[in-house]
Amino acid sequence: MKSYRKYMTSKIVWYVLTFVVALFLNFLLPRLIPGNPVSTIVSKITSGMADTNSIKRVYETFEKEFGLNKPIWEQFLIYVSNLLHGNMGTSFGQYPRKVTDILASSIVWTIGLQLPAIIVSWILGNVLGVLAAYIKKGFDKVLFPVFLFISCIPSFGFAIVLVWLFAVALKIAPASGGYAFDMIPSPTLSFFLSVLQHYQLPFWSIVLVGIGGQSLGMREMSIYELNADYVKYCRLLGLKDSKIVRYVFKNAVLPQITGLALSLGTMVGGALITEIVFSYPGLGSVLFNAIAAQDFPLISGCTLLITTGVLIANFVIDIVYGLIDPRIKVAQQE
Amino acid sequence: MAEKLLEVKNLKSVYKTRFNEKITAVDDVSFDLEDGKCLGIAGESGCGKSTLAMSVMGYYYPPLFYESGIVNISGIDITKIPYNQLRKEILGKEIAYIPQAAMNALNPTQRIINLIEDVMEEHISGITKKEIRKIAEDRFETLNLPKDVLQRYPIELSGGMKQRTVIAISTILNPKILIADEPTSALDVTSQKIVIKLLKDLIKRGFIKAMVFITHELPLLYNIADDIMVMYAGEIVESGEAEEVIFDPIHPYSNGLMNSIIVPEKGIKGKKLTVIPGAPPNLKYKLEGCRFFDRCLFAKDECKISEINMKYVNNRSYRCVLQVDELKEMYEDGKKPATT
Ligand SMILES: Nc1ncnc2c1ncn2[C@@H]1O[C@H](COP(=O)(O)OP(=O)(O)OP(=O)(O)O)[C@@H](O)[C@H]1O
Ligand SMILES: [Mg+2]
């Protein structure tokens, strides 16, 4: 128990260090993109203004507000202290909206799309994977190449194929957006139905690609487990194959939990491309637009959210594994 | 005469490789096992001991295939019944198995008690978890195993403890026959002794009625077996009472094995079965005549010609063209096989 605490303490120290480094990079990297975002905003606001003096004053006001006239280390300190107060700054691109507001409204869409999709594809993928390994013969001969094919298609390519097939050719699903463009989000049935309709294509494109990769990994793991000595021993004890496959599933799926936790962690930024292809109003689209607009605070906000997600996911894996898998528990105690 | 619990007749099993080669790993093996007896099977690595064990239990999973022969367990020829009947009525209940590598035989993510629950629920309908726990605890106590092992994961047990636990699990349903495949090979001498004592205990207490003990370590066999079969390249080359086979072997192969063990010291201390120069033939090819020909110090031309059948002399049998007297004479002449 004592060594377990030592193990956890050293883990936590590493996670905190990683977070600090990530925080700094989050802040620094967007600012290394060449170009000046303020002039973009200013030129938008001042279009039609002729007076160079007032344009200059507008420019200076903005530069001061965003703190861009200060040295970069001072900017970083301000950034961190604001962050501690829950303030991520003001968006350049969607001025004067607060970064936190933008993130809060878009993350609902992202999680709503991704969480069910990831879980559904994880469960289906793993069940299909273990079945393919166990049944072999016909089932495996068909499923394996299909999974391999699907998992090799880049997700945006797959999304585009789905759009073409269901939205353009068959016209049975809308091609883009999170809801009909003439609607305002409200708690009504028609809005809900519209959301559901728009949900289908992005959802299934994530699910299918996910199943492909997931089931391939699971199939490998299960084949390995099925050849383990304990399978033979259990059969010789007269246990049913259905029971033994359950043992195999449990042992093979435990390592897959890492994959699940990681995809949940990267969830917030993970479906970037799917969201862009479907113009889905989630975090991916926001990040994409923020990069295009050189919106430093918004980019930093998005990436900070993603980083935190990944770190938390990893941390949870580390703790949970020790509890559910005796093989790891022993390794942790050594 | 005691009741025959197990009757194996002309059993033949083959491995089919990916290149469609047939490896006959068990070739025309016959033997009986009577109530109360322990049969020892000895032979070099790769001679087909484990394959014989699998075949006797009806465990035919690719690449291993049944070819011909009979395996009678309690009057049922298990090679003729559907797998589901074999699984439900025979495996674990009539005949049980202790695997060669008991170290990996347990599912690493399952507590011992949960495996016992699954095994017992499978074979005894309507039994409750509470009853199972009681039975398991009693059995562990009787066999001098700590009860708290039941709540542990396999990874938390030492090698010797794991082996003893596997033995206890295999015999929890009081099977009539136990097949132990090199149950002590991976253990140190102290643990070996404990395991042998445990196995003898099982018979003494009536938890099992008879046992087949597979090994390549003769000293152990001397301690536990009533009868011994010597196996070579998939065939039985000699069988008889343990005492006789060890101290007065007939077949040149057995003679080679035993000689190398008994000669220097009186007694049979700590030597293993791997001292005859040369290697056994590849079972892939169709073998003509005596399979031991290439390594035999007494080989003659006639050994290579025809199929060599078992010869029966008194209570013993051996597979060689020469007569017992001829062989004995040659052993006496000091033409003993080298004991390198
Ligand atoms: N899966 C397999 N595929 C093909 N051939 C096999 C396979 N398993 C075993 N064999 C062959 O069958 C023969 C008998 O193997 P078996 O495992 O029964 O030997 P063994 O007497 O138990 O040896 P050991 O003392 O090393 O356990 C060997 O020659 C081996 O090469
Ligand atoms: Mg073996």
Side-chain angles (χ1 to χ4, degrees):
Chain A
M1 207 55 226
K2 206 169 164 192
S3 57
Y4 185 70
R5 194 170 306 154
K6 208 171 116 196
Y7 168 84
M8 283 320 296
T9 318
S10 80
K11 276 273 166 197
I12 290 172
V13 169
W14 275 110
Y15 277 108
V16 170
L17 271 178
T18 315
F19 181 76
V20 171
V21 172
L23 193 64
F24 182 66
L25 291 178
N26 271 336
F27 170 82
L28 186 67
L29 290 181
R31 283 164 177 78
L32 295 180
I33 304 172
N36 186 341
V38 177
S39 27
T40 323
I41 303 172
V42 171
S43 67
K44 233 188 281 168
I45 293 174
T46 55
S47 65
M49 271 195 221
D51 184 2
T52 43
N53 229 356
S54 51
I55 291 177
K56 198 167 170 236
R57 215 167 313 128
V58 174
Y59 186 92
E60 276 164 4
T61 322
F62 274 101
E63 203 170 48
K64 203 163 155 215
E65 175 164 356
F66 294 142
L68 291 177
N69 51 353
K70 300 201 177 72
I72 200 129
W73 59 269
E74 209 180 323
Q75 287 183 42
F76 180 62
L77 288 185
I78 295 168
Y79 171 72
V80 171
S81 95
N82 282 343
L83 209 56
L84 290 177
H85 295 99
N87 176 6
M88 290 180 160
T90 310
S91 164
F92 294 180
Q94 304 182 36
Y95 187 82
R97 282 185 77 191
K98 289 271 171 209
V99 169
T100 38
D101 293 342
I102 300 175
L103 292 183
S105 67
S106 60
I107 200 163
V108 176
W109 288 97
T110 293
I111 292 181
L113 173 63
Q114 288 254 65
L115 189 63
I118 289 173
I119 290 176
V120 166
S121 68
W122 191 80
I123 293 174
L124 285 181
N126 284 322
V127 170
L128 288 175
V130 77
L131 287 181
Y134 173 68
I135 299 176
K136 289 186 212 127
K137 300 248 154 78
F139 192 65
D140 195 31
K141 288 235 162 64
V142 176
L143 273 193
F144 179 63
V146 171
F147 291 159
L148 199 62
F149 180 70
I150 291 178
S151 68
C152 287
I153 308 175
S155 58
F156 63 87
F158 200 66
I160 289 169
V161 170
L162 286 187
V163 169
W164 174 81
L165 189 64
F166 291 103
V168 180
L170 297 174
K171 293 194 183 7
I172 52 174
S176 72
Y179 46 88
F181 61 88
D182 53 359
M183 280 185 171
I184 297 163
S186 58
T188 60
L189 184 67
S190 60
F191 176 72
F192 178 73
L193 287 178
S194 170
V195 167
L196 206 63
Q197 233 181 358
H198 285 77
Y199 194 69
Q200 298 309 319
L201 286 188
F203 176 78
W204 288 109
S205 84
I206 297 173
V207 167
L208 286 176
V209 172
I211 286 181
Q214 210 48 254
S215 58
L216 288 182
M218 185 61 177
R219 182 179 164 275
E220 294 291 304
M221 284 301 301
S222 304
I223 289 176
Y224 173 80
E225 288 288 334
L226 278 168
N227 285 318
D229 285 349
Y230 70 83
V231 170
K232 184 170 153 187
Y233 181 55
C234 287
R235 279 187 175 140
L236 287 169
L237 285 170
L239 290 183
K240 271 199 206 97
D241 268 20
S242 57
K243 187 134 246 162
I244 298 171
V245 169
R246 235 172 290 163
Y247 298 167
V248 166
F249 181 79
K250 184 185 172 195
N251 290 350
V253 92
L254 284 175
Q256 300 283 93
I257 290 177
T258 317
L260 174 65
L262 273 183
S263 33
L264 289 180
T266 51
M267 174 168 72
V268 278
L272 187 88
I273 292 177
T274 313
E275 285 187 5
I276 294 166
V277 170
F278 291 103
S279 311
Y280 208 73
L283 208 67
S285 300
V286 168
L287 179 58
F288 181 67
N289 294 330
I291 293 171
Q294 283 198 330
D295 193 342
F296 300 156
L298 194 51
I299 299 176
S300 294
C302 288
T303 48
L304 185 64
L305 211 59
I306 295 168
T307 316
T308 315
V310 174
L311 284 178
I312 290 178
N314 271 307
F315 186 62
V316 171
I317 297 170
D318 270 338
I319 297 175
V320 169
Y321 252 138
L323 298 179
I324 56 176
D325 193 336
R327 294 172 293 192
I328 308 267
K329 196 192 309 186
V330 167
Q332 284 175 348
Q333 283 164 354
E334 269 158 12
Chain B
M1 218 177 87
E3 188 194 351
K4 267 186 205 168
L5 296 179
L6 172 67
E7 199 179 4
V8 178
K9 271 194 200 144
N10 311 104
L11 187 61
K12 203 167 183 176
S13 304
V14 296
Y15 288 103
K16 288 185 184 153
T17 67
R18 277 183 300 158
F19 314 106
N20 251 332
E21 293 162 337
K22 268 189 180 182
I23 297 171
T24 312
V26 171
D27 201 348
D28 203 19
V29 170
S30 304
F31 66 90
D32 295 337
L33 184 64
E34 287 174 1
D35 198 341
K37 294 279 184 185
C38 174
L39 170 69
I41 299 181
E44 285 169 302
S45 180
C47 72
K49 302 182 299 293
S50 298
T51 312
L52 176 59
M54 290 297 104
S55 308
V56 166
M57 302 208 55
Y59 186 90
Y60 286 108
Y61 278 85
L64 183 62
F65 293 88
Y66 167 79
E67 185 98 347
S68 58
I70 289 174
V71 178
N72 264 327
I73 297 176
S74 308
I76 301 173
D77 180 0
I78 63 153
T79 61
K80 305 287 183 293
I81 60 174
Y83 177 73
N84 218 30
Q85 189 188 350
L86 173 73
R87 181 184 69 69
K88 258 202 217 136
E89 294 170 13
I90 309 287
L91 293 183
K93 242 176 159 177
E94 296 288 325
I95 186 165
Y97 176 73
I98 297 169
Q100 178 159 4
M103 302 304 129
N104 313 316
L106 295 169
N107 175 2
T109 61
Q110 190 181 36
R111 290 180 203 275
I112 305 299
I113 184 69
N114 297 128
L115 176 59
I116 295 179
E117 281 168 4
D118 284 351
V119 171
M120 297 195 80
E121 280 168 359
E122 190 67 54
H123 289 98
I124 305 169
S125 56
I127 195 168
T128 64
K129 292 236 180 339
K130 215 174 133 196
E131 290 166 328
I132 295 174
R133 187 159 303 236
K134 175 91 174 58
I135 294 172
E137 282 178 0
D138 287 353
R139 177 58 61 87
F140 270 56
E141 202 155 20
T142 318
L143 298 178
N144 273 322
L145 282 157
K147 265 194 288 188
D148 69 301
V149 165
L150 289 169
Q151 296 306 328
R152 300 221 208 132
Y153 289 102
I155 221 162
E156 298 166 336
L157 304 177
S158 71
M161 186 58 80
K162 220 184 277 183
Q163 183 63 277
R164 288 156 68 199
T165 306
V166 165
I167 293 172
I169 295 172
S170 288
T171 55
I172 195 88
L173 295 164
N174 296 347
K176 294 200 181 105
I177 307 157
L178 178 66
I179 298 192
D181 191 355
E182 313 213 15
T184 57
S185 298
L187 304 177
D188 62 88
V189 181
T190 325
S191 307
Q192 278 186 357
K193 280 193 183 135
I194 299 176
V195 165
I196 296 282
K197 192 179 162 297
L198 175 60
L199 289 170
K200 282 181 166 175
D201 229 30
L202 287 170
I203 293 194
K204 207 174 73 196
R205 291 179 187 274
F207 293 150
I208 60 172
K209 290 189 168 161
M211 173 161 55
V212 175
F213 189 100
I214 297 173
T215 185
H216 56 256
E217 289 170 273
L218 267 179
L220 290 169
L221 225 40
Y222 180 64
N223 284 332
I224 191 166
D226 301 300
D227 300 295
I228 291 180
M229 290 200 315
V230 180
M231 210 173 166
Y232 185 79
E235 288 182 330
I236 305 300
V237 294
E238 173 161 3
S239 74
E241 271 179 35
E243 191 95 352
E244 288 181 323
V245 175
I246 291 177
F247 293 106
D248 182 25
I250 300 175
H251 193 278
Y253 175 63
S254 327
N255 186 60
L257 294 178
M258 309 307 167
N259 250 326
S260 58
I261 288 159
I262 309 169
V263 173
E265 316 99 286
K266 266 198 179 154
I268 43 172
K269 275 196 194 127
K271 294 233 176 152
K272 296 187 182 177
L273 269 191
T274 47
V275 277
I276 299 174
N282 195 331
L283 300 174
K284 227 163 46 181
Y285 307 112
K286 188 156 171 39
L287 301 163
E288 296 267 324
C290 180
R291 299 185 176 185
F292 189 54
F293 184 82
D294 294 335
R295 299 165 79 187
C296 184
L297 292 176
F298 314 104
K300 298 180 170 173
D301 291 343
E302 57 191 288
C303 301
K304 203 63 192 162
I305 300 166
S306 59
E307 195 172 312
I308 318 267
N309 289 315
M310 274 295 208
K311 283 204 179 83
Y312 296 85
V313 181
N314 300 327
N315 269 332
R316 308 178 58 178
S317 56
Y318 69 101
R319 193 185 291 274
C320 180
V321 291
L322 299 173
Q323 298 303 320
V324 179
D325 298 345
E326 290 179 87
L327 286 163
K328 285 284 154 67
E329 211 170 293
M330 285 193 276
Y331 299 158
E332 292 289 306
D333 281 354
K335 265 186 82 183
K336 272 173 188 152
T339 55
T340 41

